Amino acid sequence: MRKLAAEKGLLYGTTISAKQISEDSRFVDLVVQQTGLVVAENDMKWQVMNRGARGDDDYGPADTVAAFALENDLALRGHNLLWYHRTPSWFFDLTSRQEIESAIVERIRRLAGRYRGMVHSWDVVNEPIEPKDGRPDGLRTGVFLEMFGPDYLDLAYRTARETDPAARLVVNEYDVELDTPEQEVRRTTLLNLLERMRRSGTPVDAVGVQAHLSCAGAPPFSAARLRRFLADLAGLGLTIQITELDVTDEKAPADEAVRDRLVADAYGRFLDTALDEPAVKMVVTWGLSDRHSWIVRKETHESKWRTDGTPSRPLPFDADLKPKPAFEAIAQAFAYAPQRAAG
Ligand code: XIL
């Protein structure tokens, strides 16, 4: 997949963790063979790194992932500098605006500074919009907005740019892929946000479309709508990254062959459309093998898993690291993708 993607000017990547790097050498070999980029699934998230007190951050696992990328000549994505959902608890106790600002700046300077020059792109703010929160600008009323105000975005992107000028700065968002009125509102909201950021000089280079998809029981997909959205994003002068692609088979029939076909078709349909847009320069699957997928790991209690007891099969390789029809579908989408300028 790495090679097929690279031939078209595309970067293909996957998530990895420090634990997998130290404990699962067969999986790691597959990552090195198949991908050109890695992103830490959780190891760079603030709340995951923070051991409780302000400043008491454990960089060990994040360093392991960064060193792994460097040693194996893989590009490195940074995920993420700020995410309302993974903010350490002490942050919520800050009261003065100055303290809040300095905590945000410190977080970004420390992490982005540590890997300066090594990171291809940073998800600076993860999931900044939520039209359902009811604000006219559609921004999510999460911790940063509530405690600092909407210009936390400008602060974050400027600080990231100053800290690592070579990294592409990304706004990463979900539920903007499918054909529902809710997702249409999310698309418009995201476009408006990015347009405002560009107009006001807030440094942003790319948009991340997460693309956590579903192969059955999901809302409809419209190639025309997705194409239009991606073209609108490209029209703002942004590059586009598909950042967390996976296909849950949560509601698909139990038969494995049927499921694998449905999952593969969903990958193919999505990628064929997305890769038609030349501004799409990167595809990252949220994992590479069903062995390590947030959809399969029930203990996270955050995801979608099957209720019939059969393990989910959402990724290109199965739990034994054998390629599935999804692998063929992705490879084929890369092979047929139009050539693009690298970026
Ligand atoms: C998920 C991880 O995959 C899980 O292991 C963890 O328990 C929760 O976070 N959008 C994101 C990712 O931006 O960081 C999330 O990753 C999946 C949804």
Side-chain angles (χ1 to χ4, degrees), residues 15 40-42 45 48 79-80 83 85-86 123 126-127 172-174 210 212 243-244 246 286-287 292-295 297 299-303:
T15 50
E41 182 171 356
N42 291 304
K45 292 172 184 171
V48 173
H79 177 77
N80 49 56
W83 188 19
H85 193 48
R86 284 288 185 276
D123 291 332
N126 199 31
E127 305 178 348
N172 196 38
E173 199 44 88
Y174 70 97
Q210 291 188 6
H212 291 291
T243 50
E244 304 188 11
D246 58 11
W286 205 240
H292 302 298
S293 162
W294 74 313
I295 289 170
R297 272 176 287 152
E299 71 273 16
T300 65
H301 295 297
E302 282 194 68
S303 189

Side-chain angles (χ1 to χ4, degrees), residues 191-207:
L191 273 165
N192 289 342
L193 167 65
L194 290 162
E195 206 261 326
R196 283 199 307 277
M197 289 171 80
R198 296 292 273 183
R199 196 164 7 99
S200 62
T202 299
V204 57
D205 307 301
V207 56

